[in-house]
């Protein structure tokens, strides 16, 4: 079972590195900037559950009637927030957060939905 690793970005600024390890039962974070609301892990304890809620918040709601068509369009067979954001980078219209994964050399202009 692979670890989950990613960096939460605010435009081109790194906010926090996140790693779920030990069979994804423990979380390790490194905050680069601790600014609200740019860093979604700004305050309070960062638990595995909190990380999963964050990932799911960056995806289409699992109860949407068109979910199966959405997953098919992404090439996925099941609803898995981590796999979804690996494709979509967790971009949303409402804010400038997005998710970058190890080995990626992309920037905000590559993933943004708006200016």
């Amino acid at each position: 079972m692979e670890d989950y690793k990613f960096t939460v970005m605010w435009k081109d600024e790194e906010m926090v590195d996140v790693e779920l390890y030990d069979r994804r039962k423990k979380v390790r974070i490194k905050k680069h900037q601790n600014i609200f609301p740019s860093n979604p892990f700004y305050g309070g304890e960062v638990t595995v559950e909190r990380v999963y809620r964050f990932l799911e918040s960056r995806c289409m709601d699992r109860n949407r009637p068109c979910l199966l068509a959405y997953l098919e369009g992404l090439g996925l067979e099941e609803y898995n927030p981590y796999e979804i954001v690996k494709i979509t980078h967790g971009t949303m219209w409402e804010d400038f957060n997005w998710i970058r994964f190890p080995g990626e050399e992309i920037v905000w202009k590559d993933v943004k939905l708006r200016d």
Side-chain angles (χ1 to χ4, degrees):
M1 181 178 290
E2 91 180 73
D3 295 342
Y4 286 175
K5 296 179 183 180
F6 58 90
T7 300
V8 178
M9 306 289 293
W10 179 266
K11 294 190 176 183
D12 285 321
E13 296 184 48
E14 293 180 345
M15 291 293 124
V16 61
D17 294 327
V18 179
E19 178 182 8
L20 295 179
Y21 66 100
D22 194 12
R23 301 185 65 75
R24 295 185 226 138
K25 294 182 180 176
K26 295 182 181 176
V27 63
R28 180 180 300 129
I29 64 165
K30 177 184 176 188
K31 294 180 182 179
H32 297 280
Q33 297 188 49
N34 203 24
I35 304 166
F36 180 81
S38 309
N39 184 338
F41 301 109
Y42 166 74
E45 181 183 3
V46 179
T47 63
V48 171
E49 293 78 17
R50 185 172 172 190
V51 172
Y52 280 120
R53 281 193 312 270
F54 168 73
L55 290 173
E56 191 162 4
S57 77
R58 308 308 293 184
C59 298
M60 177 183 281
D61 186 288
R62 67 174 60 233
N63 297 312
R64 292 278 299 266
C66 59
L67 181 64
L68 291 178
Y70 176 71
L71 293 175
E72 184 178 307
L74 294 176
L76 299 174
E77 295 181 9
E78 65 182 13
Y79 186 86
N80 178 323
Y82 185 75
E83 294 301 322
I84 293 170
V85 298
K86 278 175 55 178
I87 297 166
T88 66
H89 291 91
T91 56
M92 307 288 282
W93 185 260
E94 297 84 22
D95 62 33
F96 302 107
N97 279 118
W98 62 284
I99 300 169
R100 186 173 61 199
F101 295 90
E104 292 184 327
E105 295 185 17
I106 57 175
V107 295
W108 172 243
K109 70 178 177 123
D110 300 323
V111 300
K112 69 180 179 175
L113 298 175
R114 64 182 173 99
D115 290 316

